[in-house]
């Protein structure tokens, strides 16, 4: 009995709904299209948020407050004399980490030559685009002399290679600061001991 009443009621409701839709075809054909256009137009104001820090960290988190305090008390040298990869802030930069398969000394003559060849290969990279060829010089950080800033370890390896070529034995790579022949002091970040 109850099933028949429900069946009759549902059949009547759906019959009236079908008749109403069939008697107004223009409205029911155009309304979904208009609603889709209106809802889709809201995506024109959509902006992609690329900052992971903004997405994951609260606006007034303790870490952000402490970082701002440290940055105000100990300002970072953001001049064109430093590589941005030396900074502890996120940005667009790349770094190549070279290791040896046999846990060999990376400062021996063979490995030093390979690292300097790799550096030369990276600086000669070209990316052809329609109408223009981009080179390493187009994307590197320039100093005041309009030349690319090179990582300090490359200067140390070049000096080591020159010392070996001239049989100079007075050049020592020390940690944390190595003094080059031109008087510059280079800070090395990773080694745990001095190399001679």
């Amino acid at each position: 009995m109850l099933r028949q009443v429900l069946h009759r009621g549902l059949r009547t409701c759906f019959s009236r709904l079908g008749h109403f839709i069939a008697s107004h075809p223009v409205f029911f054909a155009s309304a979904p299209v208009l609603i889709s256009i209106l809802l889709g137009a809201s995506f024109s104001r959509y902006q992609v948020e690329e900052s992971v820090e903004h997405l994951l960290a609260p606006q007034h988190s303790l870490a952000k407050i402490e970082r701002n305090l440290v940055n105000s008390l100990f300002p970072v040298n953001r001049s064109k004399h430093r590589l941005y990869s030396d900074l502890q802030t996120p940005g667009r930069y790349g770094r190549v980490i070279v290791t040896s398969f046999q846990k060999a000394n990376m400062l021996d003559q063979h490995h030093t030559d390979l690292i300097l060849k790799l550096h030369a290969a990276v600086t000669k990279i070209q990316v052809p685009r329609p109408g223009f060829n981009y080179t390493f010089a187009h994307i590197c950080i320039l100093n005041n002399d309009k030349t690319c800033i090179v990582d300090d370890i490359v200067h140390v390896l070049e000096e080591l290679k020159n010392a070996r070529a001239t049989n100079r034995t007075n050049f020592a790579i020390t940690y944390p600061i190595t003094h080059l022949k031109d008087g510059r002091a280079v800070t090395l970040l990773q080694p745990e001991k001095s190399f001679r």
Side-chain angles (χ1 to χ4, degrees), residues 7-26:
H7 179 61
R8 195 176 315 128
L10 287 174
R11 187 177 62 186
T12 305
C13 288
F14 283 120
S15 174
R16 289 181 183 164
L17 178 64
H19 183 14
F20 181 74
I21 291 172
S23 62
H24 302 92
V26 175

Side-chain angles (χ1 to χ4, degrees), residues 172-191:
I173 300 176
T174 56
Y175 178 77
I177 297 174
T178 298
H179 296 281
L180 299 180
K181 189 168 97 174
D182 60 3
R184 288 189 313 124
V186 174
T187 304
L188 302 176
L189 300 176
Q190 289 298 323

Side-chain angles (χ1 to χ4, degrees), residues 83-104:
L83 284 174
Y84 291 132
S85 60
D86 293 341
L87 303 177
Q88 300 303 317
T89 55
R92 294 180 179 168
Y93 58 85
R95 184 167 282 203
V96 177
I97 299 174
V98 181
T99 60
S100 173
F101 285 121
Q102 295 124 3
K103 306 243 183 218

Side-chain angles (χ1 to χ4, degrees), residues 73-88:
L73 294 175
F74 307 101
V76 178
N77 182 6
R78 295 178 188 265
S79 69
K80 291 196 167 197
H81 301 289
R82 300 280 299 166
L83 284 174
Y84 291 132
S85 60
D86 293 341
L87 303 177
Q88 300 303 317

Side-chain angles (χ1 to χ4, degrees), residues 22 53 75 108:
E53 181 181 344
D108 66 7

